[in-house]
Amino acid sequence: MTWSVAGGLVMALGPGKALGQAADPPLSPWIHIAPNGRVTLTTTASDMGQGARTGQIQVLADELDVAWDMIDVEMAPDREPYRYEGRLYSGGSHSLRARFRLLREAGAAARALLTLAAANQWGVEAGDCTAALGRVTHAATGRTAGYGDLADEAARLPAPARPPLKPRDAWRYIGHGVPTLDLVDKTRGAARYGMDVRLPGLARATILQCPVFGGALDSVDPAPALATPGVRRVVRLPAAVAVVADDTWTAFKGAAALRPRWTAPPLRLTSADLAARLAEALADPDLAGPIAAGTPGLVEATYEVPYLAHATMEPMNATARVTADKIEVWAPCQNITELRKAVARALERPLGQVELTVTLLGGGFGRRLKNDYAVQAALIADAHGGPVQLVWRREEDFAHDFYRPSARHRFRAVAGPDGLISGYAVAGVATNDEAGEGADAAPYALAVLGNLQRELKVGVPVGPWRSVDASITGFGRESFIDECAHAAARDPLDYRRALLGDNARARRVLDAAAEAVGWTTRRPATLGVGLALFALADTLVCHALEAEVVDQRLIVRRLVVACDCGTVINPGQVRAQLEGGAVMALSAALGEAMTFTGGAADQTNFDTYRLLRLKQAPPVETVLLETPRARIGGVGEVAVPGVAAALANAVFAATGRRIRTLPFSAAGFSII
């Protein structure tokens, strides 16, 4: 059985047993109901702390009409028809956006089947029965039955083709706050993350990887590590050496005793040369674009962003057990399908032998879409001959990330007689080949006249970082809109309103942020306010930021986030995503940057890669708006890309100085 929603998504979830209690056969592809009435939702969303599973429960609870706390969640296995776009993964703000309609239809269909099963048992019309909070009732006779009593018979009935969905005014949970799933366990330390996996006979391991990207292990003397009490084995890998021990701390000590010799590749980046290389590449005539330099009315500016680390709270880790006919992996991961494939390739085994259990994730941000740590755990367990839990030291975590790429982008536009632009052209050089995907003009009524991108190969591994391409190009796009407004001698708010055309929804979000921050309030000369407006993942977000600059001291006083994601499922979780994303983006804008010398990372822990400190974080105010007829949007990504531009625009308003290269600390500011 499959369920379809707009956009061609076809998915069916649910044939496993629900905690050993679910009815057989299952009631629907998504849903199992046990005899005691508890419901199990089989989900495809990894839990990274964003609350997506709680939101899914709320949606299902409303359409199924069952108390939300009667629903349990289990992870879907990696096989058809569970995959979305050919794979089972969590990213791109898809967790609720791609499943909202699907969950509603599944819940409505199950409710219809349960109602029909009750009507058949009682010999009455289904239309005379009602389903509510886990029970079906026939008002005329007073008969009632719980979902658990009806599930087995309901599962054998043909599913309705188009089950009627509840109107918004009948929703009990969507749009309201419920406690986040597993919140109590997480606050008590009882929730099980990757590092909490325990198996009989489990050994612990850590790893030393070649400090230069693309290098390899030449040789290593295992004796110093093996002399450490509790160390069991030293395992050589192509570009790393692992130490297996009785416990993690002993593995760390054993690894610290090793002095491996490495071979280095010819391509080795030194960051002191990177800015010049990006600028030289961007000056190539092939990237000139359709708007020529020197065109009358031309507005032009170039922006640059650095490499960024993911710096998840939980360092990379995975647990593996390898036997003759099975490879078992326990890992906090975002990309289940690709992880299984990567492990199978590395151990030269059939894909069907790889079984993956997805644990809770102590942060993802795109880092755990990569699978290097799980492959290493499987290789080490295979060499060790028993179950092994691999935990990276924080130094390895920083020095062997898949970083947010560094990039340089040039924006050009020609202003008309009224100072407005009708479009812009962008050219960029990035240390990956896809950074231009975030350079579109939405939600403005502008044309992207040209989007030329080039990759600069420097040998540093890159990957998705929260909001992906929009975090790379967004700083330039929204700073450039402000620069166009300044060139036209127009107020940045009014200028943006004019560029939106007839997009009333975007204008409402823009105005809400401006009003909340007090855009028209008279401020001292040292205070400035800036805006940045974005459309991403079917959501509109506007950041409004107030900053104070005294000499070179920079203080962010206020940060407002106005958001319209169509329908707000759980207001508390949406606010948490907006707040967390904004603070993460502010941290990156103010002081974060990865640099490299001779192909090796310069920053290897939080003493040199400084995240935003508590005293530096401003209050974050959120304004939630809804457009019920719009498609539901995601909120995990869109809270990020506008913050750096809003800060740059606020600093310009306060000082007249335009910052076009991140982070702000590199421009000589002292972050207070």
Side-chain angles (χ1 to χ4, degrees), residues 131-143:
L133 289 178
R135 302 193 69 81
V136 178
T137 301
H138 184 245
T141 61
R143 281 180 286 193

Side-chain angles (χ1 to χ4, degrees), residues 493-519:
L493 171 61
D494 293 339
Y495 195 82
R496 283 179 169 81
R497 296 183 96 255
L499 295 183
L500 287 172
D502 60 358
N503 192 335
R505 184 185 176 198
R507 188 174 293 111
R508 184 171 69 132
V509 175
L510 175 66
D511 289 346
E515 180 181 359
V517 81
W519 180 263

